[in-house]
């Protein structure tokens, strides 16, 4: 069964449900748990002229701090449930890579590097224009993942 479980969090209700599911699985199976968050800086770095309006480096640092705080809280939640977990903030210093890499690619690469047996993630269940405009990380994970997936639906 699963020995290494990776869960992606973004502070949404569905990712919180995915975290709960991953904690339950890890506890039941005695598996290692890694919690990841993608610091998706691409929209900030790729918006032409944004540098004139705000300090991009300051925004990116704020995103990193928020991501690390989210991961710290998730690790504490796992510990409170009796599961030891580690965490990783997934990001890059390469501006070209950031502009072309989707969130699901970061998650899959993180899972492969850590040798995860399964990825747990929430699905927002967007439809129509919202799905077309915003995209769907869960759908991309289905296409890209080389491991098993557990997708947790939102309510």
């Amino acid at each position: 069964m699963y020995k290494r479980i990776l869960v992606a969090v973004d502070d949404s209700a569905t990712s919180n449900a995915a975290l709960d599911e991953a904690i339950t699985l890890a506890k039941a199976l005695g598996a290692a748990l890694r919690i990841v968050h993608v610091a998706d800086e691409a929209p900030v770095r790729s918006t032409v002229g944004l540098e004139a309006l705000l300090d991009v480096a300051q925004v990116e640092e704020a995103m990193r701090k928020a991501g690390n705080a989210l991961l710290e809280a998730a690790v504490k939640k796992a510990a409170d449930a009796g599961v030891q977990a580690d965490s990783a903030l997934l990001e890059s210093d390469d501006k070209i890579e950031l502009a072309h890499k989707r969130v699901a690619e970061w998650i899959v690469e993180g899972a492969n590097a850590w040798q995860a047996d399964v990825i747990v993630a929430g699905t927002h269940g967007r439809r129509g224009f919202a799905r077309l405009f915003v995209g769907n990380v869960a759908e991309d994970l289905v296409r890209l993942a080389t491991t098993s997936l557990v997708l947790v639906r939102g309510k």
Side-chain angles (χ1 to χ4, degrees):
M1 202 59 184
Y2 305 127
K3 293 182 177 159
R4 297 172 71 83
I5 300 169
L6 182 133
V7 60
V9 297
D10 66 6
D11 203 28
S12 66
T14 54
S15 85
N16 292 336
L19 177 59
D20 291 342
E21 186 70 20
I23 290 169
T24 299
L25 275 173
K27 191 170 189 174
L29 300 173
L33 179 61
R34 171 163 283 184
I35 305 166
V36 300
H37 174 73
V38 177
D40 188 11
E41 300 160 358
V44 175
R45 289 192 180 192
S46 64
T47 304
V48 177
L50 193 60
E51 300 86 9
L53 300 173
L54 53 97
D55 184 346
V56 173
Q58 189 176 19
V59 171
E60 290 171 346
E61 182 57 29
M63 290 174 72
R64 274 187 218 96
K65 283 184 180 179
N68 283 321
L70 173 65
L71 290 170
E72 192 175 302
V75 168
K76 182 182 181 326
K77 183 175 188 176
D80 290 346
V83 174
Q84 184 176 356
D86 72 354
S87 65
L89 183 67
L90 306 178
E91 63 179 338
S92 174
D93 291 329
D94 184 339
K95 291 181 183 186
I96 294 170
E97 181 181 45
L98 276 171
H100 295 96
K101 196 179 277 191
R102 300 179 85 171
V103 170
E105 291 176 282
W106 284 103
I107 295 168
V108 169
E109 286 180 11
N112 290 341
W114 189 64
Q115 298 178 333
D117 299 312
V118 63
I119 298 170
V120 180
T123 175
H124 294 284
R126 292 184 183 101
R127 297 172 190 248
F129 286 116
R131 181 173 153 240
L132 185 65
F133 180 71
V134 178
N136 189 330
V137 173
E139 186 175 327
D140 287 345
L141 282 172
V142 169
R143 278 192 249 121
L144 298 171
T146 56
T147 65
S148 295
L149 289 170
V150 173
L151 297 178
V152 179
R153 293 184 58 80
K155 296 185 186 217

